[in-house]
């Protein structure tokens, strides 16, 4: 099929390349000329394992192109809207500016009978509004939320757990079945829903994941007050198949471009719908998540004797999670900046995210290697659990620091190994000795 993908950020670039990989003819359209030029040259402007290969193969096949010219969408049978919906500066609600600009740009080029498919995460009710906007041009609208995780974007797009579509006719369902034929043939289930349900599946999935993380982090607080160990507690409750062990990693909590802003936008939309009480628990989920960050700063302060001023703090990790260079709402950088505000000399290392981190927090100092960051440190904080840090030899790190205090804010290091190398090890939600 001929497809257009409007918005070639994380979601759109991955979707465009993967759809071409499935055999479709795809044009990716974005207002940012630098992004378009990079993608057209086979370069992915962010770190995503496996995506450069898929992009380059798709470009070489001749089925994938990129442009800033939205009129290139004219020949497509299906248009995917993949633009971002960040949090508004002044409230919890989603900023829908990019979505509506994309819609307005597309209206003159979406042919009668073509299908406009929303993939962006939006407030429930958006698909119906969009359908009304396209009504005069005769284009139809469908909703097809995306569940991809950064670091697993290609796998999640080509081998998703499920496809969810919100459609208003059997014809539109059929069109999407044709788009995803290869996945359906592989046995991926497709759930067919109305617009509102399809939109809500995405935000409620993210709300559930955020709740699960904050649940175990709330248990961390209780563990800290009682001397219990949250990692063992999580392992034990996770063995109950009704609970399940995934997303029960206690630590510094969730960040990134999705979970934090999605739960806030969901609360804002619930307020507009008059059901704000149904989601007030998400405020608590958000607060538990923020409290882990301040708890980590408290632990660093305690480790250096009660005052951070002029203490040297090594921070390992800047990305919001490993295998990503994304620093949007990164818990690691939030903690690093808070330590700096208290007067500490903060030295940050991250295997991939330092350029992005520098753009946001230019006042922090960045080191080229994990060991350089640790040099002469009074305390070392592990804030993003990159494999490089988990595998590092604690005895080698011990050689370069001033004081052997480590705070493992992701519960990723082996306390036995670190203690054996002479370190005072503290984990979030774990007993101190
Ligand atoms: C998330 C959803 O998983 C994905 O389905 C949706 O499409 C977009 O949002 P992503 O933001 O890429 O994906 O990251 P994810 O792997 O879900 O992690 C989110 C955050 O939660 C990270 O900061 C991670 O460190 C944290 N996390 C995750 C925990 O603190 N504990 C866990 O057990 C799991």
């Amino acid at each position: 099929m001929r497809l257009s993908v409007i918005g070639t950020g994380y979601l759109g670039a991955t979707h465009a390349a993967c759809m071409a990989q499935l055999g479709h003819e795809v044009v990716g359209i974005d207002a940012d000329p630098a992004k378009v030029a990079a993608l057209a040259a086979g370069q992915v402007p962010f770190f995503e394992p496996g995506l450069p290969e898929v992009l380059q193969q798709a470009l070489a096949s001749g089925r994938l192109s990129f442009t800033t010219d939205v009129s290139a969408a004219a020949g497509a049978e299906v248009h995917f809207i993949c633009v971002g919906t960040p949090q508004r500066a002044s409230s919890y609600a989603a900023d829908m500016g990019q979505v509506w600009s994309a819609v307005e740009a597309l209206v003159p080029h979406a042919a009668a009978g073509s299908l406009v498919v929303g993939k962006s995460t939006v407030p429930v009710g958006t698909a119906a509004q969009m359908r009304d906007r396209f009504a005069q041009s005769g284009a139809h609208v469908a909703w097809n939320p995306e569940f991809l995780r950064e670091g697993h974007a290609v796998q999640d797009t080509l081998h998703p757990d499920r496809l969810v579509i919100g459609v208003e006719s059997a014809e539109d369902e059929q069109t999407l079945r044709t788009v995803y034929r290869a996945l359906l043939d592989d046995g991926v289930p497709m759930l067919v829903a109305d617009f509102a349900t399809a939109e809500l599946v995405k935000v409620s999935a993210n709300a559930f994941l955020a709740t699960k993380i904050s649940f175990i982090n709330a248990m961390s607080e209780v563990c800290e007050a009682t001397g219990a160990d949250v990692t063992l507690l999580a392992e034990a409750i996770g063995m109950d198949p009704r609970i399940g062990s995934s997303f029960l990693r206690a630590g510094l909590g969730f960040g990134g471009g999705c979970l934090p802003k999605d739960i806030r936008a969901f609360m804002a939309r619930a307020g507009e719908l008059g059901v704000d009480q149904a989601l007030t628990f998400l405020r608590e989920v958000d607060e538990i998540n923020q409290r882990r960050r301040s708890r980590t700063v408290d632990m660093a302060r305690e480790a250096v004797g009660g005052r951070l001023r002029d203490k040297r703090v090594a921070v390992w990790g800047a990305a919001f999670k490993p295998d990503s260079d994304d620093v949007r709402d990164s818990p690691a950088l939030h903690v690093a900046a808070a330590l700096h505000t208290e007067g500490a000399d903060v030295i940050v290392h991250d295997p991939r995210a330092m350029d992005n981190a520098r753009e946001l927090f230019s006042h922090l100092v960045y080191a080229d290697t994990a060991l350089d960051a640790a040099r002469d440190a009074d305390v070392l904080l592990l804030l993003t659990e990159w494999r490089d840090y988990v595998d590092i030899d604690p005895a080698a790190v011990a050689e370069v620091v001033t004081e052997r205090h480590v705070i493992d804010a992701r519960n990723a290091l082996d306390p036995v190994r670190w203690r054996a190398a002479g370190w005072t090890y503290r984990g979030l939600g774990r007993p101190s000795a």
Side-chain angles (χ1 to χ4, degrees):
M1 295 185 89
R2 277 168 293 130
L3 315 178
S4 82
V5 174
I6 322 282
T8 60
Y10 216 94
L11 164 60
T14 309
H15 192 65
C18 289
M19 290 303 106
Q21 178 93 337
L22 294 183
H24 300 301
E25 200 176 299
V26 186
V27 58
I29 302 169
D30 201 289
D32 179 349
K35 210 181 272 177
V36 163
L39 289 167
Q43 287 153 14
V44 178
F46 46 85
F47 176 65
E48 180 60 41
L51 185 55
E53 292 79 358
V54 175
L55 174 71
Q56 284 151 20
Q57 278 169 25
L59 288 167
S61 74
R63 289 193 300 271
L64 178 62
S65 60
F66 293 94
T67 178
T68 53
D69 179 5
V70 71
S71 72
E77 298 148 89
V78 181
H79 310 278
F80 287 99
I81 308 253
C82 295
V83 294
T85 52
Q87 186 179 329
R88 275 189 220 165
S90 54
S91 76
Y92 269 11
D95 179 347
M96 293 292 288
Q98 293 179 51
V99 171
W100 294 116
S101 308
V103 166
E104 288 314 315
L106 186 59
V107 165
H109 306 292
S114 68
L115 185 62
V116 179
V117 183
K119 286 190 89 64
S120 308
T121 302
V122 294
V124 55
T126 303
Q129 262 180 286
M130 219 183 259
R131 172 243 287 134
D132 295 344
R133 182 65 189 92
F134 280 102
Q136 72 197 63
S137 64
H140 302 182
V141 166
W143 214 260
N144 170 217
E146 181 57 58
F147 305 102
L148 68 80
R149 296 160 300 167
E150 296 188 15
H152 305 266
V154 172
Q155 169 75 15
D156 287 352
T157 304
L158 292 176
H159 307 280
D161 305 320
R162 75 295 204 193
L163 289 161
V164 176
I165 59 167
V167 285
E168 290 193 322
S169 74
E171 179 196 344
D172 296 342
E173 176 185 338
Q174 207 43 54
T175 302
L176 281 167
R177 284 189 181 277
T178 310
V179 170
Y180 291 122
R181 174 59 50 213
L183 274 52
L184 298 173
D185 288 348
D186 268 356
V188 176
M190 177 181 267
L191 285 102
V192 182
D194 54 275
F195 283 172
T197 306
E199 291 167 315
L200 280 171
V201 167
K202 171 65 192 229
V203 278
S204 53
N206 276 356
F208 189 85
L209 294 172
T211 303
K212 214 173 167 192
I213 298 169
S214 277
F215 172 82
I216 200 65
N217 283 335
M219 294 308 109
S220 268
E221 294 187 19
V222 181
C223 285
E224 281 160 13
T226 54
D229 186 332
V230 75
T231 62
L232 282 173
L233 181 139
E235 191 182 347
I237 64 171
M239 283 176 180
D240 182 333
R242 294 170 302 174
I243 296 174
S245 60
S246 61
F247 268 70
L248 274 189
R249 274 182 289 110
L252 191 50
F254 58 84
C258 292
L259 299 189
K261 63 106 178 156
D262 285 352
I263 62 168
R264 292 175 196 150
F266 198 14
M267 283 187 267
R269 185 68 183 130
E272 290 167 4
L273 294 166
V275 287
D276 41 336
Q277 275 190 327
L279 297 189
T280 42
F281 75 95
L282 287 178
R283 193 172 291 274
E284 203 55 49
V285 165
D286 204 358
E287 274 168 21
I288 293 165
N289 195 49
Q290 298 300 324
R291 275 208 299 276
R292 288 289 80 187
R293 302 180 185 189
S294 33
R295 173 73 188 133
T296 303
V297 174
D298 292 346
M299 283 168 78
R301 195 186 309 105
E302 283 162 25
V304 298
R307 260 173 71 88
L308 281 158
R309 178 153 301 284
D310 299 328
K311 294 293 181 182
R312 201 172 166 94
V313 182
V315 163
W316 281 357
F320 84 103
K321 67 171 187 180
D323 299 318
S324 168
D325 65 358
D326 196 342
V327 297
R328 285 176 294 171
D329 204 339
S330 167
L333 277 184
H334 186 145
V335 168
L339 294 164
H340 175 87
T341 303
E342 289 198 30
D345 294 327
V346 182
I347 326 287
V348 181
H349 175 262
D350 188 284
R352 293 279 176 179
M354 288 207 286
D355 289 346
N356 288 340
R358 235 182 240 115
E359 267 180 39
L360 272 186
F361 292 97
S362 55
H363 56 287
L364 300 175
V365 176
Y366 296 88
D368 288 338
T369 67
L371 274 187
D372 283 346
R375 208 168 300 284
D376 304 325
D378 296 300
V379 60
L380 165 64
L381 274 68
L382 177 109
L383 302 184
T384 313
E385 68 277 32
W386 285 93
R387 192 79 236 169
D388 310 32
Y389 304 143
V390 176
D391 289 343
I392 215 162
D393 176 8
V397 191
E399 295 292 311
V400 303
V401 295
T402 299
E403 298 288 341
R404 297 178 184 183
H405 297 301
V406 62
I407 294 169
D408 178 6
R410 293 292 182 180
N411 291 320
L413 304 175
D414 178 354
V416 176
R417 263 181 89 208
W418 281 74
R419 285 183 179 134
W423 291 81
T424 314
Y425 171 96
R426 302 281 310 274
L428 284 182
R430 303 181 90 172
S432 42

